[in-house]
C-alpha cells in the first residue's frame, strides 16, 4: 500500500521554526496488486492487513541526517546526491582504485589520498577509548596509513590561519564601522588612554579602503528593506559552522553581510592541501583526494558548496567528509573493535600542530586556547583588544581582563572588555543552538544587538557535541559525556597563539605572497548566497 510522501515536522525542541513544512519524496515498491487496510492497535502501532487477514507491522517513517541537516529544512535533491557521495565507501573506492593502478602500473588513475582530522574528533575518540589526544592522533595515523592513505594532517593547523584571518577581518571591519557611523567610538579619557592606547586605530586608512555594498530589499516578508555594507556591518558573526550558514542563507538572507567572510578551518585546509601541498609534491589539485574527518554531518554539505569547487581542475577542495561515527564504523569493517590495541605512528611533517621531543618523536599537540568550538570568540577578543586599544594580557578562558557572564542558559555567554572607568570597549557573545540563534537574529534584524562579534554554532554545547560525534554509553548522562569530551579536547594540548605558529608566516609568503594579497583573499575568504525558497505546507494544499 502506498503512502503520501509528505511529512510535517513540528514543535521540535531545538528545531529552527515550529511547524515548518518538510517534504521528502519516498519511492514505495508495491508488493501486491491487491489492496488491504490499515489497523492501529492499543499501543499505537500500525499494521497493514491484507485481504486474506495477514497483518504486517509497518515501520515508523524516519528522516536520516542525510535528508535533514541542521539547516533551514529540507535539503534539495541535488544536495542529497552530493552528501551521499561523501562516505567511507567512496574513500574505500579511491583506495581500491589506487591499488589497481599500482598493480597495473597505470599512474594516470592514481590519486594521492590525504586525510585531515579535527581536534573535536580526537577528543571524542579519546573520551570513549580512554586514550590521550596524542595517542588518538598516532593511532588514527596508523589506522589510515594501513588502509593506504598517504598523509594525515591536523585541522588545528588550518584553524590557526582561520583565527588569524578572522581577527584581522574583525579589526578592519570595526575601523570601517567607526568611520561609517555604524558604531560609536569609545569615549576614552586621557587617563583611560594610558591603559588602552587607541592610537593604533587608523580610521583614515579605513575610510579610504574600498567598500563592498550588499543591499537587501525585503525579498522575504520578515526581511527589513535596508542597505548593509558588508565591510562595516556590525556585529560580525563567526562563519565556521555550516549549519548556521545554511540557516542564514535559506531563511534570513539579510543576515549574510554580517557573517565573517573567512573560510572555516576545514575549507582552509582544503585550499592548502589542494594548492600549496599539491604544488610541493608536483601534483595538480585533481590528483589529490582530500578527506576531512569532522564532528558534524553539516560539514559534508559545506564541502559540497560550489564556492569550493575548481572548474579548471573539476575537483573540490575537500572531496569527502566522514564523521567520527563513520570512522568508528570503519574500525569494525576492518575487523578492529578496540582502539586501545591499535598500533601508533608519528604524525606527518607539514600541516600538523605537534611538538617533538629530543628523539624526534611526537610529544604533545598544540592548539589555540579557547573552547572546543575553535576558540574564535577568545582569540578575536584578545587580538582586537591588542590591535585596537593596546590592551594586552586578555584571556577569556581565565577571565583575565574581561567580564564573562552566562546569559539565559549555558549556551549563551557574553564577554565584555571594559576600561577601569566602566566604559565598554568591546562586547562579544557566544550563541549556541537555534533557540539562541533565533534571539540573536531578531536583535540584529531590529538593530538592537549590543555586540561587536558573536561566535555562532548550530549545535547546543558547540562542535564538541556535533551530530557526528561518538555516542556515550547509555549509563552516562549527555551533560556528563560532553564534560568528558571537552576535558579530552584540552587534555595534554599546549595552548599557543596562532601568530606564534612558526610555519604560518612562511605560508603567507611562499603560498599567498603576503598577508593582504588578492591570492590570500581568494584562498582564505569566501562569500554567501541567499536562497529563495517557497515553503508550502503540503497538508494545506488543495488538489
Amino acid at each position: 500500500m502506498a503512502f503520501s510522501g509528505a511529512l510535517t515536522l513540528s514543535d521540535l525542541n531545538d528545531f529552527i521554526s515550529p511547524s515548518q513544512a518538510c517534504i521528502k519524496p519516498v519511492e514505495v515498491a508495491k508488493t501486491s496488486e491487491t489492496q488491504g487496510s490499515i489497523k492501529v492497535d492499543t499501543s499505537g502501532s500500525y499494521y497493514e492487513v491484507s485481504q486474506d487477514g495477514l497483518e504486517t507491522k509497518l515501520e515508523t517513517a524516519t528522516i536520516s541526517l542525510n535528508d535533514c541537516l541542521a539547516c533551514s529544512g529540507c535539503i534539495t535533491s541535488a544536495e542529497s546526491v552530493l552528501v551521499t557521495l561523501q562516505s567511507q565507501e567512496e574513500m574505500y573506492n579511491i583506495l581500491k582504485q589506487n591499488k589497481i593502478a599500482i598493480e597495473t602500473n597505470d599512474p594516470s588513475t592514481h590519486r594521492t589520498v590525504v586525510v585531515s582530522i579535527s581536534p573535536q574528533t580526537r577528543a571524542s575518540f579519546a573520551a570513549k577509548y580512554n586514550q590521550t589526544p596524542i595517542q588518538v592522533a598516532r593511532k588514527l595515523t596508523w589506522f589510515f596509513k594501513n588502509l593506504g592513505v598517504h598523509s594525515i594532517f591536523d585541522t588545528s593547523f588550518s584553524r590557526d590561519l582561520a583565527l588569524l584571518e578572522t581577527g584581522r577581518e574583525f579589526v578592519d571591519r570595526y575601523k570601517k564601522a567607526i568611520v561609517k557611523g555604524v558604531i560609536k567610538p569609545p569615549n576614552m579619557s586621557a587617563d583611560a588612554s594610558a591603559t588602552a592606547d587607541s592610537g593604533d586605530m587608523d580610521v583614515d586608512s579605513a575610510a579610504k579602503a574600498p567598500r563592498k555594498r550588499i543591499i537587501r530589499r525585503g525579498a522575504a516578508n520578515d526581511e527589513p528593506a535596508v542597505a548593509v555594507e558588508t565591510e562595516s556591518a556590525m556585529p560580525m558573526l563567526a562563519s565556521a559552522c555550516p549549519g548556521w550558514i545554511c540557516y542564514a542563507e535559506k531563511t534570513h538572507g539579510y543576515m549574510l553581510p554580517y557573517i565573517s567572510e573567512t573560510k572555516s578551518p576545514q575549507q582552509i585546509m582544503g585550499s592548502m592541501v589542494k594548492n600549496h601541498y599539491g604544488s610541493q609534491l608536483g601534483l595538480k589539485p585533481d590528483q589529490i583526494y582530500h578527506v576531512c574527518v569532522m564532528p558534524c554531518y553539516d560539514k559534508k554539505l559545506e564541502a559540497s558548496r560550489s564556492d569550493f569547487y575548481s572548474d579548471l581542475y573539476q575537483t573540490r577542495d575537500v572531496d569527502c567528509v566522514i564523521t567520527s561515527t563513520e570512522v568508528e564504523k570503519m574500525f569494525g569493517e576492518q575487523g578492529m573493535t578496540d582502539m586501545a590495541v591499535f598500533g601508533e605512528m608519528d604524525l606527518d611533517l607539514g600541516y600538523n600542530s605537534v611538538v617533538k621531543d629530543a628523539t624526534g618523536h611526537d610529544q604533545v599537540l598544540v592548539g589555540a586556547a579557547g573552547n572546543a568550538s575553535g576558540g574564535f570568540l577568545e582569540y578575536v577578543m584578545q587580538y582586537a583588544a591588542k590591535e585596537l586599544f593596546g590592551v594586552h594580557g586578555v584571556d577569556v578562558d581565565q577571565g583575565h581582563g574581561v567580564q564573562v557572564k552566562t546569559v539565559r542558559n549555558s549556551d549563551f555567554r557574553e564577554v565584555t572588555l571594559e576600561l577601569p572607568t566602566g566604559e565598554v570597549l568591546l562586547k562579544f557573545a557566544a550563541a549556541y543552538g537555534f533557540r539562541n540563534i533565533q534571539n540573536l537574529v531578531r536583535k540584529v534584524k531590529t538593530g538592537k544587538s549590543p555586540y561587536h562579534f558573536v561566535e555562532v554554532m548550530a549545535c547546543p554545547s558547540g562542535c564538541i557535541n556535533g551530530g557526528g560525534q561518538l555516542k556515550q554509553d547509555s549509563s552516562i548522562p549527555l551533560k556528563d559525556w560532553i564534560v568528558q569530551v571537552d576535558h579530552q579536547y584540552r587534555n595534554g594540548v599546549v595552548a599557543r597563539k596562532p601568530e606564534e605558529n612558526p610555519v604560518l608566516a612562511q605560508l603567507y609568503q611562499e603560498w599567498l605572497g603576503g598577508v593582504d594579497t588578492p591570492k590570500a583573499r581568494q584562498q582564505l575568504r569566501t562569500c554567501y548566497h541567499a536562497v529563495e525558497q517557497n515553503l508550502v505546507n503540503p497538508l494545506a494544499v488543495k488538489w
Side-chain angles (χ1 to χ4, degrees), residues 111-112 268-279 283-291 313 315-319 351 511 523:
R111 300 173 73 181
T112 297
I268 288 181
M269 181 62 84
S271 296
M272 288 194 300
V273 167
K274 286 296 182 84
N275 296 281
H276 182 255
Y277 181 67
S279 65
L283 299 174
K284 297 178 181 178
D286 58 346
Q287 293 175 305
I288 297 176
Y289 188 77
H290 185 205
V291 180
Y313 294 103
T315 186
R316 303 187 183 280
D317 293 339
V318 178
D319 298 285
Y351 307 139
W511 176 37
Q523 298 293 341

Side-chain angles (χ1 to χ4, degrees), residues 86 88 297 300 321-330:
Q86 300 189 50
Q88 65 269 32
Y297 282 90
K300 295 175 182 282
V321 174
I322 54 179
T323 62
S324 308
T325 54
E326 288 172 320
V327 171
E328 187 179 47
K329 183 179 179 182
M330 292 174 69

Side-chain angles (χ1 to χ4, degrees), residues 109-228:
T109 59
H110 185 276
R111 300 173 73 181
T112 297
V113 181
V114 176
V115 172
S116 301
I117 302 173
S118 72
Q120 294 86 359
T121 293
R122 286 200 312 258
S124 191
F125 278 104
K128 182 163 183 178
Y129 291 96
N130 195 28
Q131 304 284 302
T132 64
I134 188 67
Q135 286 177 316
V136 170
R138 291 172 180 152
K139 289 176 182 290
L140 288 178
T141 299
W142 175 87
F143 174 76
F144 281 117
K145 290 217 169 179
N146 274 277
L147 290 180
V149 173
H150 300 88
S151 299
I152 291 88
F153 295 138
D154 171 20
T155 60
S156 295
F157 185 93
S158 57
R159 183 180 59 189
D160 280 353
L161 264 177
L163 290 172
L164 271 173
E165 282 296 310
T166 303
R168 291 183 178 126
E169 182 184 0
F170 174 79
V171 167
D172 186 55
R173 191 181 292 208
Y174 181 93
K175 292 177 179 179
K176 291 173 182 174
I178 293 288
V179 172
K180 294 296 295 181
V182 175
I183 57 177
K184 295 181 180 179
N187 183 23
M188 299 169 66
S189 65
D191 292 337
S193 298
T195 303
D197 181 12
S198 62
D200 293 335
M201 192 185 300
D202 186 0
V203 294
D204 290 334
S205 62
K208 296 175 184 177
R211 303 187 188 102
K212 178 170 59 180
R213 180 181 293 269
I214 296 181
I215 301 179
R216 304 295 174 195
R217 299 189 179 277
N221 292 333
D222 67 335
E223 186 172 324
V226 295
V228 179

Side-chain angles (χ1 to χ4, degrees), residues 491-506:
N491 181 24
V493 179
V494 177
R496 179 186 63 188
K497 294 179 181 178
E499 56 265 33
E500 295 173 354
N501 186 334
V503 185
L504 291 193
Q506 181 181 350

Side-chain angles (χ1 to χ4, degrees), residues 86 98 105 226 268 275 290 303 313 372 402 437 452 465 472 484 503 509:
Q86 300 189 50
N98 281 350
N105 195 25
V226 295
I268 288 181
N275 296 281
H290 185 205
Y313 294 103
V402 291
I437 290 176
H452 297 102
N465 186 37
Q472 77 277 22
Q484 290 183 31
V503 185
Q509 293 303 319

